[in-house]
Amino acid sequence: MAAGALVLFSFVLLGGVVSPYITSLWLGLPVAILGLLAAFVIYALIAQGWDSPARTAAVAVGTTVAIVGAAWLCVAALGFAIDIVRLGQTGEGWPRNEAVLHQRQAALDEWDKLGAPTVAVTVSGGGYRAAAFHAGVLSLLEEAGIPIRLLSTVSGGSIVGGAYAIGWTPQAFIARLKERPRIVDDFMNPFAAYSLLLGAAGTGDVLNYHLSRVFFGLTGIEDTGPPLIVINTTEFRSGERISFWPGDGRPVLNKPLKLGTAVAASAAFPGAFSPIKVDGISYYMDGGVRENLGLEGLEQFLNERRAAPTPRILLISDATAGLTVPYVDQRPSLSAAAFRAMDILYADHYQEEIDRYMEAGVAIEAKRRAEAKKQDQIFFGIPDLRPTPVPADTFWRRRDGDVRVFLFSLSRQVTADEDVSALLRYAAALDTLEELSEDDLEIAFWAGRWIANSQLESLCGSVGPGRCRSVGKIMMPSTRLQELARQVLMRRGLEQ
């Protein structure tokens, strides 16, 4: 009996050691199921009177597999219980970083004293590719001393935007992604798997739990900012844009709206995640289905909140991949075809939004030059690199004054530097639905910094002299990463 107990303890201990490596979709669950099936078959065969040596070996093998499977279930359940306890805890830097938020508020107060223009930023969808790219843009703006008052987010942009709004630095966010949060582990948690099998929960609910566990804890949307965040979703039945922000007054089962829930609703990509019920009545899905740049939600906020300051600088951070030629080495699957169809639909709507915001300034500049030409005026000196001011009421109802629009676009950036071009095209081709490797995160983060820095001179000119600072040249990624980008692009047929 003592020997049997020792063996049992050893196998449970082994399961505890091994389980972190097998709690995934393709390894953890098969081990558990095969273990239970093996135990059932072996004990059934024992009843048929096997000879003693064979029976002993069969019992040993079946018992081992069964115990490893049971250990996996036990350790996974224990990990789930620990996560539940951790979600309700708060501490220094988790999940809110009060020190960073106080610094950002002080920067905004100083910005207002200088009479500097209000800055609004929108960050697009695009999975963790977008999240890493936007983190690079946000880090560059912080380094340049440009504080953000309004932040409108969509899908993958909502993940980094939500973390930024509770005080995470862009660098801390990237460091967390490098730990590979592995959403697949949350799908294989026994409680989640059981709920999914019974239909008591959807894949969107698992996404909600995952994002809360990794980034947001139980923080409410009311506990965010600065900047003030606008999280964009798509209402499932009507297809309308529904946006959430602090103090919007929308009832959510008489409880404060959790930031993780709002972000999960914004990032619930169709086909991968089920829509999420937020207010107890309606279901919401990926905000990019309606509009992927966050511009519509910003309009909604400014139109409803008349007391909110009018942005004079609008920065559109766009990590949309665009319609790059997909890498196809075999017949596309049904899911690949469905996702490709959505890419095409997104691209059409995306073009409409970009044209609406960017062409307004182009049209005004063309008209100004045409009038000057009629009056025989001559433009002297170097051209003004700043975007042309556009009347704010072009985009937002009953808003006075002008706004300058800047576009930081991953897929539209043009450069004569072949090494930079290869890295940018590599970043744009990163998959929307995959967690990125450390190398991919480094390149996407660098791309956001490089593209934002390429327009920093113009941006600083728009906010006024002495109000922001140059950050110098952005260092290129390592030679190894540059070579990686070129090799992957060549293999996928995306080389220039």
Side-chain angles (χ1 to χ4, degrees):
M1 179 65 72
L6 180 61
V7 171
L8 178 61
F9 174 77
S10 299
F11 280 126
V12 172
L13 183 61
L14 175 64
V17 173
V18 173
S19 62
Y21 301 97
I22 65 173
T23 49
S24 64
L25 180 61
W26 305 116
L27 290 177
L29 189 59
V31 167
I33 293 176
L34 288 176
L36 295 175
L37 288 177
F40 174 79
V41 171
I42 289 169
Y43 283 106
L45 291 174
I46 289 174
Q48 297 179 8
W50 274 18
D51 63 299
S52 183
R55 182 176 61 220
T56 301
V59 170
V61 173
T63 303
T64 300
V65 178
I67 290 176
V68 171
W72 171 80
L73 292 172
C74 292
V75 173
L78 178 61
F80 178 70
I82 292 173
D83 286 337
I84 290 296
V85 173
R86 183 172 182 266
L87 282 175
Q89 293 180 338
T90 57
E92 185 176 355
W94 167 260
R96 266 173 65 94
N97 193 322
E98 297 287 352
V100 171
L101 292 176
H102 283 310
Q103 291 173 4
R104 290 178 186 162
Q105 185 59 59
L108 280 171
D109 293 341
E110 183 64 25
W111 195 255
D112 292 339
K113 289 179 183 178
L114 295 172
T118 296
V119 177
V121 176
T122 70
V123 291
S124 74
Y128 279 126
R129 175 193 68 244
F133 175 82
H134 300 320
V137 171
L138 294 172
S139 75
L140 191 285
L141 296 177
E142 280 194 346
E143 198 172 332
I146 301 175
I148 303 168
R149 186 171 294 278
L150 297 174
L151 181 63
S152 182
T153 69
V154 179
S155 195
S158 293
I159 301 175
V160 64
Y164 191 78
I166 56 174
W168 288 46
T169 64
Q171 291 78 7
F173 177 79
I174 291 296
R176 185 68 183 96
L177 290 186
K178 287 182 178 179
E179 296 174 7
R180 302 301 293 272
R182 288 184 59 82
I183 188 174
V184 69
D185 291 350
D186 291 314
F187 274 100
M188 293 319 304
N189 179 282
F191 296 98
Y194 185 68
S195 298
L196 289 171
L197 289 173
L198 292 182
T203 53
D205 299 304
V206 179
L207 174 65
N208 183 4
Y209 166 73
H210 172 76
L211 293 175
S212 297
R213 176 180 67 82
V214 176
F215 300 108
F216 308 119
L218 298 180
T219 305
I221 196 171
E222 300 297 331
D223 297 321
T224 60
L228 188 147
I229 189 170
V230 178
I231 300 175
N232 296 278
T233 70
T234 304
E235 205 278 326
F236 180 74
R237 289 180 296 181
S238 66
E240 295 180 354
R241 160 68 75 236
I242 299 295
S243 301
F244 301 100
W245 58 77
D248 67 359
R250 186 177 287 108
V252 185
L253 296 177
N254 297 318
K255 297 179 181 179
L257 174 60
K258 295 292 184 288
L259 177 61
T261 301
V263 172
S266 177
F269 191 84
F273 302 106
S274 59
I276 295 174
K277 184 179 285 188
V278 173
D279 52 14
I281 301 173
S282 301
Y283 285 91
Y284 300 89
M285 59 183 179
D286 194 296
V289 173
R290 171 77 187 189
E291 182 265 315
N292 200 41
L293 295 173
L295 297 168
E296 193 173 8
L298 181 63
E299 291 178 34
Q300 201 175 82
F301 171 81
L302 291 172
N303 290 337
E304 291 187 21
R305 289 296 185 90
R306 299 296 307 150
T310 302
R312 301 305 176 192
I313 303 293
L314 174 60
L315 310 178
I316 303 173
S317 183
D318 169 32
T320 305
L323 279 180
T324 56
V325 179
Y327 175 59
V328 179
D329 60 352
Q330 58 186 355
R331 178 181 298 172
S333 64
L334 290 175
S335 60
F339 291 148
R340 183 63 175 170
M342 282 187 278
D343 286 343
I344 295 170
L345 292 174
Y346 285 178
D348 287 343
H349 191 69
Y350 160 85
Q351 187 64 49
E352 293 174 4
E353 287 298 310
I354 287 293
D355 290 347
R356 179 182 170 213
Y357 273 80
M358 300 309 297
E359 289 186 359
V362 173
I364 290 174
E365 178 66 11
K367 182 177 180 181
R368 183 174 73 89
R369 289 181 176 272
E371 290 295 328
K373 186 176 181 180
K374 287 180 182 179
Q375 300 173 20
D376 294 327
Q377 293 181 0
I378 301 175
F379 289 95
F380 293 99
I382 61 173
D384 186 355
L385 296 177
R386 296 172 293 178
T388 301
V390 178
D393 61 5
T394 303
F395 311 125
W396 312 310
R397 294 194 302 268
R398 300 188 300 279
R399 292 280 176 171
D400 299 327
D402 295 331
V403 58
R404 295 178 186 268
V405 182
F406 292 79
L407 175 64
F408 303 150
S409 177
L410 179 58
S411 59
R412 288 174 167 237
Q413 186 70 33
V414 177
T415 174
D417 189 314
E418 293 184 1
D419 292 331
V420 171
S421 179
L423 287 164
L424 295 179
R425 285 183 288 115
Y426 177 88
L430 292 172
D431 195 284
T432 299
L433 294 178
E434 290 184 2
E435 291 184 351
L436 305 183
S437 67
E438 288 194 23
D439 290 345
D440 293 343
L441 289 169
E442 289 284 351
I443 293 175
F445 183 76
W446 169 87
R449 287 180 57 81
W450 191 91
I451 289 176
N453 193 53
S454 69
Q455 299 191 52
L456 185 59
E457 180 183 355
S458 176
L459 178 57
C460 287
S462 294
V463 301
R467 292 170 179 166
C468 71
R469 52 186 176 268
S470 171
V471 300
K473 184 177 180 180
I474 301 298
M475 296 296 295
M476 291 286 286
S478 67
T479 303
R480 181 183 65 83
L481 292 183
Q482 295 181 50
E483 184 60 29
L484 168 68
R486 284 191 290 267
Q487 290 179 358
V488 172
L489 290 173
M490 185 175 298
R491 187 167 67 249
R492 295 185 175 184
L494 296 176
E495 69 274 11
Q496 193 113 22

